[in-house]
Structures are given as C-alpha cells and as structure tokens.
Amino acid sequence: MGTLAEFQKITDTEDFFDFFDLEYDERLVNAKRFHIMKKFGELVDKSKGHDMGSDEKLLEFYKFALITVYKNFENGYSPSAADVWAMFDKPSACGTCSTSSSCNDVEEVSHGVHACTSQPTISF
C-alpha cells in the first residue's frame, strides 16, 4: 500500500483497487463503476474530520470501505430505483446553463418530463 498523498492523486476506479492490492472482476467494475465509486466516496467523505490516529489507519479504513462497497455489489446489491431516478428529477445542465434551476429555457417535452431547450454554443 502506498501513501496518503499517492491515494489522494488516484482518479480511476481500477487504480484504487490496484493501490490497495485488491482483486476485482473487471466486468463488475465496468458495469457498476459509477455506483461503486459513489458509495466509496460517501464513506471516504464520512471519515473526514475524524482522527484515525495515523495515515496508515486512515488508509486501512479506506481499504475496508472499498472492500465493503465492492462486496456489496458483488453479492447483488443494486441501488434502488429512487437512487437512480433521483438524478433525473430535474433536467441536467446543458452547454448554455450552469444549473438546471437557472435555465430559463425549460419546457415540458413529454408527460411532465422537462428539458432545457437552449442550444449549446460550440467554438473551435
């Protein structure tokens, strides 16, 4: 296992598993990457502000958190429909708007579903 500074530079899911020298199923990680990293990130965030005593103990917590999240998905955990569909409650930001709530060009497109109608500006 590396250092906390090395851990903090990791951005790819597979690199987290490699950092902790953990085996993983590439197919599972490819299929559930977003959900695995979301849950892992939530556990990492929960550790902030808690004194673990040392960087090594903190890294052990992170390793345990990644193992726990991965095993949950490996054993068939699936996020609830509410978790998944919550992302679609509001229209996503478009190329013109910074957030869906600030967009003035939102219209209903189908049965209560709204979308931003602004066209993004593309420059080369």
Side-chain angles (χ1 to χ4, degrees):
M1 186 173 356
T3 66
L4 184 58
E6 292 170 333
F7 173 84
Q8 293 170 336
K9 293 178 183 176
I10 299 173
T11 58
D12 295 329
T13 306
E14 291 83 357
D15 292 342
F16 283 104
F17 285 95
D18 293 340
F19 177 83
F20 292 119
D21 196 28
L22 299 173
E23 292 183 20
Y24 61 94
D25 180 347
E26 288 180 36
R27 293 173 297 162
L28 177 64
V29 170
N30 285 333
K32 301 288 185 177
R33 173 182 317 275
F34 171 78
H35 297 293
I36 290 171
M37 294 313 299
K38 181 176 185 248
K39 293 295 184 187
F40 178 58
E42 289 171 2
L43 292 175
V44 168
D45 284 344
K46 284 183 182 181
S47 71
K48 292 179 181 173
H50 294 283
D51 182 16
M52 298 286 184
S54 68
D55 288 353
E56 290 79 23
K57 293 283 186 192
L58 183 59
L59 289 171
E60 286 178 25
F61 172 80
Y62 292 161
K63 180 177 181 178
F64 177 76
L66 184 58
I67 291 169
T68 301
V69 169
Y70 177 78
K71 290 296 183 182
N72 284 341
F73 281 96
E74 187 177 54
N75 292 326
Y77 170 78
S78 182
S80 72
D83 291 341
V84 174
W85 290 106
M87 294 183 287
F88 300 104
D89 267 350
K90 297 179 183 174
S92 61
C94 69
T96 307
C97 311
S98 60
T99 65
S100 59
S101 62
S102 68
C103 182
N104 294 322
D105 298 322
V106 175
E107 69 178 32
E108 183 171 347
V109 285
S110 175
H111 306 291
V113 177
H114 294 79
C116 177
T117 59
S118 297
Q119 295 298 315
T121 304
I122 302 172
S123 57
F124 294 96

